[in-house]
Every structure is written in C-alpha cells, then in structure tokens.
Amino acid sequence: AIQEQLTMAIHNAVDSIIDKNQGVAVMISATHNCVKCRGVKHEGAVMKTSKLSGIFKEDEKARSEFYQFLTSN
C-alpha cells in the first residue's frame, strides 16, 4: 500500500505544480524486502505501480509511447 500511496502522491504533486499540463504519467518500479524475507521469499521480485491522467489515460498512442519509453531504457 505504501508504494501505491507514493505513486499517487508524486502524481498529484506534479499535477498541481505544473499548470495547464495535458496529463501526468508516473510509474514506480521497486523491489520490496518483505517479498525477499517473508512471504514468497523470491529474490529480485519487482512491484510496479502507475498512475496516469489526462492524455496518458485518454489517448492510447500517448499511453503506448510512455510505456514503450519505459521498456526501452
């Protein structure tokens, strides 16, 4: 729940700071010690959360370009 809250907080901060933006896209990819130490005990498990608004949510091309950029780096 903490990663999801952080994703939303970053999104909302950027959205409120940048006037007249056409949309905000935030993605967080993180490893969690709780997954490594407890639960499934899986090394290298990554959790991804995202929050999209505006053009990134409404326009499939913009959303696709955003996710494609993330996978190319």
Side-chain angles (χ1 to χ4, degrees):
I2 294 171
Q3 184 173 333
E4 289 88 352
Q5 292 169 355
L6 179 60
T7 303
M8 290 290 290
I10 293 169
H11 174 276
N12 294 341
V14 171
D15 192 38
S16 68
I17 291 169
I18 301 175
D19 291 333
K20 300 178 184 176
N21 69 68
Q22 294 184 7
V24 176
V26 175
M27 181 176 199
I28 296 178
S29 178
T31 58
H32 292 255
N33 286 335
C34 61
V35 176
K36 290 181 189 178
C37 302
R38 299 182 292 167
V40 295
K41 296 186 180 181
H42 187 307
E43 191 70 30
V46 175
M47 306 290 280
K48 294 182 180 183
T49 55
S50 64
K51 171 67 177 156
L52 308 175
S53 65
I55 194 168
F56 295 105
K57 188 173 183 178
E58 299 162 4
D59 185 320
E60 186 176 333
K61 183 179 179 197
R63 183 174 50 251
S64 177
E65 286 177 2
F66 171 70
Y67 284 121
Q68 187 174 21
F69 174 77
L70 292 175
T71 59
S72 68
N73 291 324

